[in-house]
Amino acid sequence: MTQPATSLPKLKDVFQDQFLVGAAVNPRTLKEQRTLLSEHFNSITAENEMKFERLQPEEGRYTFEHADRMMDFAEEHGIGVRGHTLVWHNQTPAWVFEDGAGGQISREGLLARMKTHIDTVVGRYRGNIYAWDVVNEAVADSGPEVLRESPWLSIAGEDFIARAFEYAHAADPGALLFYNDYNEAVPEKREKIYTLVKSLLDQGVPIHGIGLQAHWSIAHPAEDDIRRAIERYASLGLKLHITELDVSVFAHDDKRTDLQSPSEEMMTRQAERYETFFRIFRDYSESITSVTFWGAADDYTWLDNFPVRGRKNWPFLFDAGHQPKASFWKVVEDKA
Ligand code: GLA
């Protein structure tokens, strides 16, 4: 397992006939994981640097520096870019929803701001981003409502979603446009996502795919639920992207904070899970055209300290030293 990096199979080569293999990156990992990223991945996504709050912190003041650097890295290495994300209830600055005089912006005002943001951002990278997460996480996890409470919904009304897709399509007619969400394999939420996307298609909205975030763990979700979700979404005739894959080594009720390294049992279980997941992705590779991890190696993951403070996690195929884990070999070897 300690082969020199050059003789390792490369993820992007292993899956070249099936789907792109991507990683979320940030300014730190673009430096520290540079070699790993350029060797194994043929798609990247900004973990945070293309979110509304990062690109337009104040009205009309755009900050593209970090996003541009990521685009340069991608171009230099012939890597594709997934854009993430245009319209979301999180990481969006408060000014977007305010009228500047202590009140709330009007529906027309909010849609105009949405359009300006999308025109500017999508227009800047037109032709260089193959897919955008246009709307992120608009569906409610539970309860009778399809859509979750948010300022987008309460101010603009439910057609904020359709408008976002229309604006994005006008700004870059060549980009594939995605609706992206988590808990995507949970049956109750799956049906809501299906209902939302079907209604967009029925209205003729330019939407091309569904993003399955796939923040999964060694315990959840069940294989059958994943297959059912993929089949249900694929039945709409859309492309599917796995957009934020990671496999936490902790089950939901495991709140231990004392581990300095993952147990052998965790690594074995994670490898089995990864084997299952990639078998599923291969089975549905007619529909699944891109699989993005929400990071690349265990030295950096948003799951460190979340949702349990003071706890490290080890969710990827490569360890903190960028060496392949048992999970890597299961994914690669099951290919044969
Ligand atoms: C969601 C978002 C991502 C990211 C993760 C946590 O899944 O879509 O952009 O913020 O949460 O890192």
Side-chain angles (χ1 to χ4, degrees):
M1 297 224 176
T2 47
Q3 303 184 20
T6 44
S7 69
L8 268 190
K10 304 290 181 270
L11 289 175
K12 64 183 176 193
D13 299 336
V14 170
F15 296 104
Q16 64 178 342
D17 296 332
Q18 275 129 357
F19 37 75
L20 297 171
V21 183
V25 301
N26 60 41
R28 168 181 161 185
T29 60
L30 272 179
K31 272 198 214 120
E32 295 176 359
Q33 300 179 341
R34 200 176 179 84
T35 306
L36 186 73
L37 290 167
S38 60
E39 284 186 344
H40 284 277
F41 298 89
N42 49 14
S43 178
I44 55 175
T45 301
E47 183 186 22
N48 288 300
E49 284 65 31
M50 287 190 175
K51 290 173 178 172
F52 207 128
E53 68 176 8
R54 299 297 178 95
L55 292 186
Q56 200 188 170
E58 291 162 37
E59 185 156 28
R61 183 167 74 81
Y62 290 90
T63 43
F64 286 118
E65 194 192 327
H66 286 303
D68 285 356
R69 259 195 232 148
M70 183 190 81
M71 298 300 294
D72 291 344
F73 174 83
E75 196 187 342
E76 188 187 326
H77 295 281
I79 294 174
V81 178
R82 281 196 95 255
H84 174 85
T85 179
L86 298 170
V87 174
W88 190 24
H89 61 279
N90 273 331
Q91 293 185 261
T92 302
W95 70 258
V96 174
F97 308 107
E98 295 167 352
D99 68 358
Q104 206 175 60
I105 187 86
S106 65
R107 168 183 150 84
E108 292 67 34
L110 180 57
L111 290 176
R113 282 177 177 167
M114 181 202 273
K115 181 169 186 326
T116 303
H117 184 79
I118 290 177
D119 280 349
T120 307
V121 172
V122 177
R124 183 180 185 87
Y125 301 118
R126 182 180 167 128
N128 294 317
I129 287 194
Y130 69 93
W132 269 104
D133 289 331
V134 177
V135 175
N136 199 33
E137 304 180 348
V139 165
D141 283 291
S142 55
E145 304 297 339
V146 171
L147 299 183
R148 74 160 68 231
E149 278 301 321
S150 80
W152 292 109
L153 178 64
S154 61
I155 301 171
E158 57 187 44
D159 65 332
F160 83 89
I161 298 175
R163 297 292 87 75
F165 279 92
E166 288 163 7
Y167 300 155
H169 189 57
D172 186 353
L176 296 172
L177 305 183
F178 279 71
Y179 174 75
N180 187 49
D181 216 327
Y182 67 93
N183 279 350
E184 68 295 312
V186 174
E188 182 184 3
K189 186 144 172 206
R190 174 195 77 209
E191 286 310 300
K192 292 186 188 182
I193 295 171
Y194 176 90
T195 301
L196 167 66
V197 173
K198 182 164 190 317
S199 89
L200 295 173
L201 288 169
D202 290 346
Q203 297 165 58
V205 171
I207 175 171
H208 311 110
I210 298 179
L212 293 79
Q213 289 189 5
H215 291 293
W216 295 337
S217 80
I218 53 169
H220 182 86
E223 175 173 358
D224 276 0
D225 281 341
I226 298 172
R227 287 185 184 272
R228 266 193 283 269
I230 290 172
E231 285 172 18
R232 187 75 165 139
Y233 300 145
S235 75
L236 291 166
L238 295 172
K239 293 288 171 216
L240 306 183
H241 284 180
I242 306 299
T243 55
E244 306 185 14
L245 177 63
D246 43 31
V247 181
S248 168
V249 300
F250 296 97
H252 190 67
D253 53 0
D254 183 352
K255 307 272 197 265
R256 277 177 296 167
T257 55
D258 58 331
L259 290 183
Q260 299 305 309
S261 55
S263 69
E264 243 177 74
E265 191 194 334
M266 282 170 163
M267 292 295 89
T268 304
R269 182 75 187 119
Q270 185 187 58
E272 289 164 4
R273 292 286 278 166
Y274 265 119
E275 181 179 25
T276 302
F277 298 152
F278 273 78
R279 189 180 314 125
I280 297 172
F281 301 157
R282 279 194 295 271
D283 286 350
Y284 296 101
S285 64
E286 288 282 298
S287 300
I288 297 174
T289 53
S290 179
V291 174
T292 294
F293 293 84
W294 205 241
D298 288 345
D299 48 318
Y300 173 81
T301 164
W302 74 291
L303 292 170
D304 288 346
N305 297 308
F306 183 88
V308 175
R309 283 180 66 88
R311 182 179 79 177
K312 174 145 184 65
N313 212 320
W314 299 272
F316 297 123
L317 304 184
F318 297 96
D319 70 16
H322 302 181
Q323 297 304 308
K325 294 160 62 179
S327 293
F328 173 90
W329 292 110
K330 282 289 186 196
V331 160
V332 165
E333 281 165 1
D334 193 47
K335 179 72 173 78

Coordinates of all heavy atoms in Angstrom, one line a residue, residues 242-293:
I242 N -23.0 13.4 -8.4 CA -22.8 13.2 -7.0 C -21.9 14.5 -6.7 O -20.8 14.6 -7.3 CB -22.0 11.9 -6.7 CG1 -22.8 10.7 -7.3 CG2 -21.8 11.8 -5.2 CD1 -24.2 10.5 -6.7
T243 N -22.3 15.3 -5.8 CA -21.7 16.7 -5.7 C -20.8 16.9 -4.5 O -19.9 17.8 -4.5 CB -22.7 17.8 -5.8 OG1 -23.7 17.6 -4.7 CG2 -23.4 17.8 -7.1
E244 N -21.0 16.2 -3.4 CA -20.3 16.6 -2.2 C -20.0 15.3 -1.4 O -20.1 15.3 -0.1 CB -21.1 17.5 -1.3 CG -21.6 18.8 -2.1 CD -22.3 19.8 -1.2 OE1 -22.2 19.7 0.0 OE2 -22.9 20.7 -1.8
L245 N -19.5 14.3 -2.0 CA -19.3 13.0 -1.4 C -18.3 13.0 -0.2 O -17.1 13.5 -0.4 CB -18.9 11.9 -2.4 CG -18.6 10.5 -1.9 CD1 -19.9 9.9 -1.3 CD2 -18.1 9.7 -3.1
D246 N -18.7 12.5 0.9 CA -17.7 12.2 2.0 C -18.4 11.1 2.8 O -19.6 11.0 2.8 CB -17.2 13.4 2.8 CG -18.3 14.3 3.2 OD1 -19.4 14.0 3.4 OD2 -17.9 15.5 3.4
V247 N -17.6 10.3 3.4 CA -18.1 9.2 4.2 C -17.5 9.3 5.6 O -16.4 8.8 5.9 CB -17.7 7.8 3.6 CG1 -18.3 6.6 4.4 CG2 -18.2 7.8 2.1
S248 N -18.3 9.9 6.5 CA -17.9 10.0 7.9 C -17.7 8.7 8.6 O -18.4 7.7 8.3 CB -19.0 10.8 8.7 OG -18.8 10.7 10.0
V249 N -16.6 8.6 9.4 CA -16.4 7.3 10.1 C -17.2 7.2 11.4 O -17.1 6.2 12.1 CB -14.9 7.2 10.4 CG1 -14.0 7.2 9.2 CG2 -14.4 8.2 11.4
F250 N -18.0 8.2 11.6 CA -18.9 8.2 12.8 C -20.3 8.0 12.4 O -20.8 8.7 11.6 CB -18.7 9.5 13.6 CG -17.3 9.7 14.1 CD1 -16.5 10.5 13.5 CD2 -16.9 9.1 15.3 CE1 -15.2 10.8 13.9 CE2 -15.6 9.3 15.8 CZ -14.8 10.1 15.1
A251 N -21.0 7.0 13.1 CA -22.4 6.9 13.0 C -23.0 8.1 13.7 O -22.4 8.7 14.6 CB -22.9 5.6 13.6
H252 N -24.3 8.4 13.4 CA -24.9 9.6 13.9 C -24.8 9.8 15.4 O -24.6 10.9 15.9 CB -26.4 9.6 13.5 CG -27.0 10.9 13.7 ND1 -26.7 12.1 13.1 CD2 -28.0 11.3 14.6 CE1 -27.4 13.1 13.5 NE2 -28.2 12.6 14.4
D253 N -25.0 8.7 16.1 CA -25.0 8.7 17.6 C -23.7 8.5 18.3 O -23.5 8.4 19.5 CB -26.0 7.7 18.2 CG -25.8 6.3 17.6 OD1 -24.8 6.2 16.9 OD2 -26.5 5.4 18.0
D254 N -22.6 8.4 17.4 CA -21.3 8.3 18.0 C -20.6 9.6 18.1 O -20.2 10.3 17.1 CB -20.4 7.4 17.0 CG -19.0 7.1 17.5 OD1 -18.6 7.7 18.5 OD2 -18.3 6.3 16.9
K255 N -20.5 10.1 19.4 CA -20.0 11.5 19.6 C -18.7 11.5 20.3 O -18.3 12.5 20.9 CB -21.0 12.2 20.6 CG -22.5 12.2 20.1 CD -22.8 13.4 19.2 CE -24.3 13.6 19.0 NZ -24.9 13.0 17.9
R256 N -17.9 10.4 20.1 CA -16.6 10.3 20.7 C -15.7 11.4 20.2 O -15.6 11.7 19.0 CB -15.9 9.0 20.4 CG -16.4 7.8 21.4 CD -15.8 6.5 20.9 NE -16.2 6.1 19.6 CZ -15.7 5.2 18.9 NH1 -14.6 4.5 19.3 NH2 -16.1 4.8 17.7
T257 N -14.9 12.0 21.1 CA -13.9 13.0 20.7 C -12.5 12.6 21.0 O -11.6 13.4 20.9 CB -14.2 14.4 21.4 OG1 -14.2 14.2 22.8 CG2 -15.6 14.9 21.0
D258 N -12.3 11.4 21.5 CA -11.0 11.0 22.0 C -10.1 10.3 21.0 O -8.9 10.0 21.3 CB -11.2 10.1 23.3 CG -12.0 8.8 22.9 OD1 -12.8 8.9 22.0 OD2 -11.8 7.8 23.5
L259 N -10.5 10.1 19.8 CA -9.7 9.3 18.9 C -8.7 10.2 18.2 O -9.0 11.2 17.7 CB -10.6 8.7 17.8 CG -11.6 7.6 18.2 CD1 -12.3 7.1 16.9 CD2 -10.8 6.5 18.8
Q260 N -7.4 9.7 18.3 CA -6.3 10.5 17.6 C -6.2 10.0 16.2 O -5.6 10.7 15.3 CB -5.0 10.2 18.3 CG -5.0 10.7 19.8 CD -5.4 12.1 19.9 OE1 -4.8 13.0 19.2 NE2 -6.4 12.5 20.7
S261 N -6.7 8.8 15.9 CA -6.6 8.3 14.6 C -7.8 7.3 14.4 O -8.4 6.9 15.4 CB -5.3 7.5 14.3 OG -5.2 6.5 15.3
P262 N -8.2 7.0 13.2 CA -9.4 6.2 13.0 C -9.1 4.7 13.4 O -8.0 4.3 13.3 CB -9.7 6.3 11.5 CG -8.4 6.7 10.9 CD -7.7 7.5 11.9
S263 N -10.1 4.0 14.0 CA -9.8 2.6 14.4 C -9.8 1.8 13.1 O -10.3 2.2 12.0 CB -11.0 2.1 15.3 OG -12.2 2.0 14.5
E264 N -9.2 0.6 13.2 CA -9.1 -0.3 12.1 C -10.5 -0.7 11.6 O -10.8 -0.8 10.4 CB -8.4 -1.6 12.5 CG -7.1 -1.8 11.7 CD -6.4 -3.0 12.2 OE1 -6.9 -4.2 11.9 OE2 -5.4 -2.9 12.9
E265 N -11.4 -0.9 12.6 CA -12.8 -1.2 12.2 C -13.5 -0.1 11.4 O -14.2 -0.4 10.5 CB -13.6 -1.4 13.6 CG -14.9 -2.1 13.4 CD -15.7 -1.9 14.7 OE1 -15.1 -1.8 15.8 OE2 -17.0 -1.9 14.5
M266 N -13.2 1.1 11.8 CA -13.7 2.2 11.0 C -13.2 2.2 9.6 O -14.0 2.4 8.6 CB -13.3 3.6 11.6 CG -14.1 4.0 12.9 SD -13.3 5.4 13.6 CE -14.6 6.0 14.7
M267 N -11.9 2.0 9.4 CA -11.4 2.0 8.1 C -11.9 0.8 7.2 O -12.1 1.0 6.0 CB -9.8 2.0 8.1 CG -9.2 3.3 8.7 SD -9.5 4.8 7.7 CE -11.1 5.4 8.3
T268 N -12.1 -0.3 7.9 CA -12.6 -1.5 7.1 C -14.0 -1.2 6.7 O -14.4 -1.4 5.5 CB -12.6 -2.7 8.0 OG1 -11.3 -2.9 8.5 CG2 -13.1 -3.9 7.3
R269 N -14.8 -0.7 7.6 CA -16.2 -0.4 7.3 C -16.3 0.7 6.2 O -17.1 0.6 5.3 CB -16.9 0.1 8.6 CG -18.4 0.4 8.5 CD -19.2 -0.9 8.4 NE -20.6 -0.6 8.1 CZ -21.2 -1.0 7.0 NH1 -20.6 -1.8 6.1 NH2 -22.5 -0.6 6.8
Q270 N -15.5 1.7 6.3 CA -15.5 2.8 5.4 C -15.2 2.2 4.0 O -15.8 2.6 3.0 CB -14.5 3.9 5.7 CG -14.6 5.1 4.8 CD -13.5 6.1 5.1 OE1 -12.3 5.8 5.1 NE2 -13.9 7.3 5.4
A271 N -14.2 1.4 3.9 CA -13.8 0.8 2.6 C -14.9 0.0 2.0 O -15.2 0.0 0.8 CB -12.6 -0.1 2.8
E272 N -15.7 -0.8 2.9 CA -16.8 -1.5 2.4 C -17.9 -0.6 1.8 O -18.5 -0.8 0.8 CB -17.4 -2.4 3.5 CG -16.6 -3.5 3.9 CD -17.1 -4.1 5.3 OE1 -18.1 -3.6 5.8 OE2 -16.4 -5.0 5.8
R273 N -18.1 0.5 2.6 CA -19.1 1.5 2.1 C -18.7 2.1 0.8 O -19.5 2.2 -0.1 CB -19.3 2.6 3.2 CG -19.9 2.0 4.5 CD -21.4 1.8 4.3 NE -22.2 3.0 4.4 CZ -23.5 3.1 4.1 NH1 -24.1 2.1 3.6 NH2 -24.1 4.2 4.3
Y274 N -17.4 2.5 0.7 CA -17.0 3.1 -0.6 C -17.1 2.1 -1.7 O -17.5 2.5 -2.8 CB -15.5 3.6 -0.5 CG -15.4 5.1 -0.1 CD1 -14.8 5.5 1.1 CD2 -15.9 6.1 -0.9 CE1 -14.7 6.8 1.4 CE2 -15.8 7.4 -0.6 CZ -15.2 7.8 0.5 OH -15.1 9.1 0.8
E275 N -16.8 0.9 -1.5 CA -17.0 -0.1 -2.5 C -18.4 -0.2 -3.0 O -18.7 -0.2 -4.2 CB -16.5 -1.5 -1.9 CG -16.6 -2.6 -2.9 CD -16.1 -3.9 -2.3 OE1 -16.2 -4.1 -1.1 OE2 -15.7 -4.8 -3.1
T276 N -19.3 -0.2 -2.0 CA -20.8 -0.2 -2.4 C -21.1 1.0 -3.2 O -21.8 0.9 -4.2 CB -21.6 -0.3 -1.1 OG1 -21.2 -1.5 -0.4 CG2 -23.1 -0.3 -1.4
F277 N -20.7 2.2 -2.7 CA -21.1 3.4 -3.4 C -20.7 3.4 -4.8 O -21.4 3.8 -5.7 CB -20.6 4.6 -2.6 CG -21.1 4.7 -1.2 CD1 -20.4 5.4 -0.2 CD2 -22.4 4.2 -0.8 CE1 -20.9 5.5 1.1 CE2 -22.9 4.3 0.5 CZ -22.1 5.0 1.4
F278 N -19.4 3.1 -5.0 CA -18.9 3.2 -6.4 C -19.4 2.1 -7.3 O -19.5 2.3 -8.5 CB -17.3 3.2 -6.4 CG -16.9 4.7 -6.2 CD1 -16.9 5.3 -5.0 CD2 -16.5 5.4 -7.3 CE1 -16.5 6.6 -4.8 CE2 -16.1 6.8 -7.2 CZ -16.1 7.3 -5.9
R279 N -19.8 1.0 -6.7 CA -20.5 0.0 -7.5 C -21.8 0.5 -8.0 O -22.2 0.4 -9.1 CB -20.7 -1.3 -6.7 CG -21.2 -2.4 -7.6 CD -21.5 -3.8 -6.9 NE -20.3 -4.1 -6.0 CZ -20.5 -4.4 -4.7 NH1 -21.7 -4.3 -4.1 NH2 -19.5 -4.7 -3.9
I280 N -22.5 1.2 -7.1 CA -23.8 1.9 -7.4 C -23.6 2.9 -8.5 O -24.2 3.0 -9.5 CB -24.5 2.5 -6.2 CG1 -24.8 1.5 -5.2 CG2 -25.7 3.3 -6.6 CD1 -25.3 2.1 -3.8
F281 N -22.5 3.8 -8.3 CA -22.3 4.8 -9.3 C -22.0 4.2 -10.7 O -22.4 4.7 -11.7 CB -21.1 5.7 -8.9 CG -21.3 6.4 -7.6 CD1 -20.2 6.8 -6.8 CD2 -22.6 6.6 -7.0 CE1 -20.3 7.5 -5.6 CE2 -22.7 7.3 -5.8 CZ -21.6 7.7 -5.1
R282 N -21.2 3.1 -10.7 CA -20.9 2.5 -12.0 C -22.2 1.9 -12.6 O -22.4 2.0 -13.8 CB -19.9 1.4 -11.8 CG -18.5 1.9 -11.8 CD -17.5 0.8 -11.9 NE -17.5 -0.1 -10.8 CZ -16.8 0.1 -9.7 NH1 -16.0 1.1 -9.6 NH2 -16.9 -0.8 -8.7
D283 N -23.0 1.3 -11.7 CA -24.3 0.7 -12.2 C -25.2 1.7 -12.9 O -25.9 1.4 -13.8 CB -25.1 0.0 -11.1 CG -24.5 -1.3 -10.6 OD1 -23.6 -1.8 -11.3 OD2 -24.9 -1.7 -9.5
Y284 N -25.1 2.9 -12.4 CA -26.0 4.0 -13.0 C -25.2 5.0 -13.8 O -25.6 6.2 -13.9 CB -26.8 4.7 -11.9 CG -27.7 3.7 -11.2 CD1 -27.4 3.2 -10.0 CD2 -28.9 3.4 -11.8 CE1 -28.3 2.3 -9.3 CE2 -29.8 2.5 -11.2 CZ -29.5 2.0 -9.9 OH -30.3 1.1 -9.3
S285 N -24.0 4.6 -14.3 CA -23.2 5.6 -15.0 C -23.8 6.2 -16.3 O -23.3 7.2 -16.8 CB -21.8 5.1 -15.2 OG -21.8 4.0 -16.1
E286 N -24.8 5.6 -16.8 CA -25.6 6.2 -17.9 C -26.1 7.6 -17.4 O -26.2 8.5 -18.2 CB -26.8 5.3 -18.3 CG -26.4 4.1 -19.0 CD -26.1 4.3 -20.4 OE1 -27.0 4.8 -21.2 OE2 -24.9 4.1 -20.8
S287 N -26.6 7.6 -16.2 CA -27.1 8.9 -15.6 C -26.1 9.7 -14.9 O -26.1 10.9 -15.0 CB -28.3 8.6 -14.7 OG -29.3 7.8 -15.3
I288 N -25.2 9.0 -14.2 CA -24.3 9.8 -13.3 C -23.0 10.1 -14.2 O -22.3 9.3 -14.6 CB -23.8 8.9 -12.1 CG1 -25.1 8.6 -11.2 CG2 -22.8 9.6 -11.3 CD1 -24.8 7.7 -10.1
T289 N -22.8 11.4 -14.3 CA -21.7 11.9 -15.2 C -20.6 12.6 -14.5 O -19.6 12.9 -15.1 CB -22.3 12.8 -16.3 OG1 -23.0 13.9 -15.7 CG2 -23.2 12.0 -17.3
S290 N -20.8 12.8 -13.2 CA -19.7 13.4 -12.4 C -19.8 13.0 -10.9 O -21.0 13.0 -10.4 CB -19.9 15.0 -12.6 OG -18.9 15.7 -11.8
V291 N -18.7 12.7 -10.3 CA -18.7 12.3 -8.9 C -17.7 13.2 -8.2 O -16.5 13.0 -8.4 CB -18.4 10.8 -8.7 CG1 -18.2 10.5 -7.2 CG2 -19.5 9.9 -9.3
T292 N -18.1 14.1 -7.3 CA -17.2 15.0 -6.7 C -17.2 14.7 -5.2 O -18.2 14.6 -4.5 CB -17.7 16.5 -6.9 OG1 -17.6 16.8 -8.3 CG2 -16.9 17.5 -6.1
F293 N -16.0 14.6 -4.7 CA -15.8 14.5 -3.2 C -15.7 15.9 -2.6 O -15.2 16.8 -3.2 CB -14.4 13.8 -2.9 CG -14.3 12.4 -3.3 CD1 -14.0 12.0 -4.6 CD2 -14.6 11.3 -2.4 CE1 -13.9 10.7 -5.0 CE2 -14.5 10.0 -2.8 CZ -14.1 9.7 -4.1

